Amino acid sequence: MAVCALVTSGQEAVAQQDFRNTVTGDVLDVDAIAPKEGRDTPAVKSFLKTGVDPYVEVTGCLPRGEEIYLESCSGCHGHVGEGKVGPGLNDAYWTYPKNTTDKGLFETIFGGANGMMGPHGQDLELDDNLKLIAWIRHIQKDDVKDAEWLTPDQKKSFKPFKIEDWEKTGRAAAQKEQCKISAH
């Protein structure tokens, strides 16, 4: 079970997940490292408390997630996560098993990993980091039976990613949607 820390944001104290470096296990100081912009959104506040990315399967968030992925990740992980210098991100195998959870994938992106995977905590706003994670989850092409990041209902309706469908109609439809989570 994660140990909770108190982080102050303005005047509000928020119980936050204990985020750890994927390789060393050291605590990641998210508050000190992350850019000040993009951290005061309902999605970020929820994620910091729960470790669950509320943008996963929110269609309107996918175009921005794709944009960030293409700028920051595709050079090593491939255009659609098929893998190049870095491992594939669109299949059922994860180099770091903790990346089957949103919290684990965040920790790897934020704090870096082995090889050439440097930390992106200081150059990606927290809200954009969540949109990136949503995109990585979206490009999944394999069976999602073991996808801890999806709810049972999301697993039932999940369709494996096909770049042709995304380019033909998916992206345009997603761009018409809003990127926001419910107020729950």
Side-chain angles (χ1 to χ4, degrees):
M1 184 180 298
V3 177
C4 290
L6 287 181
V7 175
T8 56
S9 172
Q11 297 193 9
E12 172 186 336
V14 178
Q16 178 176 304
Q17 292 283 312
D18 185 21
F19 296 101
R20 298 200 167 263
N21 183 283
T22 296
V23 177
T24 66
D26 294 340
V27 173
L28 295 170
D29 191 350
V30 173
D31 194 48
I33 296 170
K36 298 298 178 204
E37 302 79 25
R39 59 170 66 194
D40 196 31
T41 68
V44 170
K45 289 176 183 178
S46 174
F47 177 75
L48 291 176
K49 289 179 193 174
T50 66
V52 175
D53 184 347
Y55 287 149
V56 171
E57 293 300 292
V58 176
T59 306
C61 300
L62 297 176
R64 177 67 180 141
E66 177 188 32
E67 180 183 320
I68 297 161
Y69 178 86
L70 292 173
E71 291 171 0
S72 303
C73 312
S74 64
C76 293
H77 295 286
H79 182 68
V80 289
E82 70 277 13
K84 290 168 72 175
V85 176
L89 302 176
N90 67 352
D91 56 24
Y93 175 79
W94 291 94
T95 303
Y96 302 102
K98 75 182 209 166
N99 290 352
T100 61
T101 68
D102 295 335
K103 179 181 183 241
L105 186 54
F106 173 84
E107 290 169 330
T108 299
I109 294 167
F110 191 91
N114 282 324
M116 295 173 42
M117 177 67 191
H120 291 280
Q122 63 190 15
D123 49 63
L124 277 181
E125 293 179 12
L126 293 177
D127 198 64
D128 279 349
N129 200 317
L130 297 181
K131 291 170 185 159
L132 171 60
I133 291 169
W135 176 254
I136 292 170
R137 299 309 194 197
H138 181 72
I139 61 175
Q140 174 73 23
K141 65 174 180 58
D142 287 351
D143 189 341
V144 294
K145 68 178 173 47
D146 296 325
E148 293 182 44
W149 63 87
L150 294 174
T151 66
D153 285 342
Q154 288 172 327
K155 285 182 185 181
K156 288 178 193 172
S157 63
F158 189 86
K159 291 181 179 39
F161 182 76
K162 293 183 179 150
I163 188 66
E164 304 82 22
D165 294 345
W166 175 251
E167 290 177 344
K168 186 175 180 181
T169 58
R171 184 183 298 116
Q175 289 171 331
K176 294 177 184 175
E177 300 290 326
Q178 288 188 333
C179 178
K180 70 182 211 181
I181 60 172
S182 64
H184 300 69

